[in-house]
Amino acid sequence: MKAHILVVDDDPRITDLVRRILAYAGYSVTTAATGDDALARTLERPPDAIVLDIMLPGLDGLEVTRRLRAAGDNVPILLLTGKDAVPDRVTGLKTGADDYLVKPFAPEELVARLEALLRRSQPERAEVLRYSDVELDTGTRIAHRGGREIELSPTEYELLTLFLRRPRQVLTRDIIMDRVWGLDFEGSSNVMEVYVGYLRAKLEAAGEPRLIHTIRGVGYVFKE
């Protein structure tokens, strides 16, 4: 059975367009027109992913994202925005969203990005990955460094999983983008750098030595 998607936009034309695109792709779709309505919908029927407009009346999309994350809800969130400047995109990601799509958008890209988010959120065979003093339980998706527990967003989890499966190997930008995002992003997009920064901050929150090292002009390596 295909996933259930919550589409949130105050423009009925956009809502209907996205609903029809996703329904044609086989998804079950619920819609909401305000931030408050969106939060209520997540309680009535928890979605597998949310397509969320930023500019909403009352609670905007960023505040909806903040409240969901503060409540411990890690549902994948794809933000829709009319702003394509890098600071605007980074702000959206910093609130806890997993991806963004700039309006106007191609239907094929909307579906592809949503499918990538859903793939990353799928449960997998549980195992414990370890390197140095870091371990990651793929069943609970919770990491530890030493005795300190680290909660991860879906994207941070995918990044750390990739690093732990290939420690001491230099991973190029293209490899990371393909394995974590599953799409070819625009060259100017810094979404990968943003999330590497988030993951570094969590791994080093108690002053631990750096494990994610930048290989300038190439990518990153996870090593002591």
Side-chain angles (χ1 to χ4, degrees):
M1 178 176 277
K2 279 278 191 174
H4 175 64
I5 312 299
L6 173 61
V7 177
V8 189
D9 199 302
D10 63 323
D11 185 337
R13 296 170 301 175
I14 298 294
T15 302
D16 186 58
L17 173 63
V18 175
R19 181 189 60 77
R20 286 188 286 110
I21 290 171
L22 298 182
Y24 183 78
Y27 293 103
S28 165
V29 182
T30 298
T31 63
T34 68
D36 287 316
D37 195 17
L39 292 174
R41 290 277 192 271
T42 64
L43 295 176
E44 293 169 3
R45 183 181 179 184
D48 296 300
I50 302 176
V51 178
L52 179 61
D53 184 36
I54 290 180
M55 302 298 290
L56 294 172
L59 296 180
D60 65 14
L62 299 181
E63 183 60 26
V64 170
T65 302
R66 289 189 189 98
R67 294 193 182 193
L68 288 171
R69 297 305 187 233
D73 192 333
N74 286 321
V75 59
I77 297 176
L78 173 64
L79 289 177
L80 296 181
T81 175
K83 301 178 180 180
D84 61 355
V86 169
D88 295 314
R89 301 197 300 261
V90 171
T91 298
L93 295 172
K94 282 185 175 179
T95 64
D98 299 283
D99 198 1
Y100 57 85
L101 188 58
V102 178
K103 299 177 184 178
F105 51 83
E108 297 84 357
E109 185 175 12
L110 170 64
V111 173
R113 288 188 183 236
L114 194 56
E115 287 178 347
L117 287 182
L118 291 167
R119 280 198 305 271
R120 296 189 338 239
S121 67
Q122 290 301 307
E124 58 187 55
R125 182 177 59 83
E127 60 181 316
V128 178
L129 304 175
R130 295 183 178 89
Y131 176 76
S132 183
D133 58 346
V134 176
E135 66 176 42
L136 173 64
D137 186 327
T138 64
T140 62
R141 294 183 168 236
I142 294 176
H144 288 83
R145 184 159 194 189
R148 182 170 60 86
E149 181 178 302
I150 304 171
E151 291 189 10
L152 303 169
S153 73
T155 302
E156 292 162 353
Y157 167 80
E158 291 296 331
L159 264 177
L160 184 56
T161 299
L162 177 61
F163 284 133
L164 285 172
R165 291 193 187 283
R166 301 177 69 174
R168 298 182 296 275
Q169 296 182 37
V170 176
L171 301 177
T172 67
R173 190 178 194 280
D174 288 343
I175 287 175
I176 296 172
M177 292 299 290
D178 178 66
R179 300 297 173 83
V180 176
W181 280 268
L183 291 169
D184 293 326
F185 276 58
E186 297 176 3
S188 61
S189 171
N190 66 343
V191 63
M192 180 182 67
E193 289 77 8
V194 169
Y195 272 100
V196 167
Y198 292 162
L199 183 56
R200 269 181 177 157
K202 290 187 176 183
L203 290 174
E204 301 170 15
E208 297 96 337
R210 175 154 295 183
L211 288 173
I212 304 175
H213 302 275
T214 302
I215 307 300
R216 211 166 283 281
V218 179
Y220 299 91
V221 61
F222 194 77
K223 68 176 183 178
E224 295 179 290

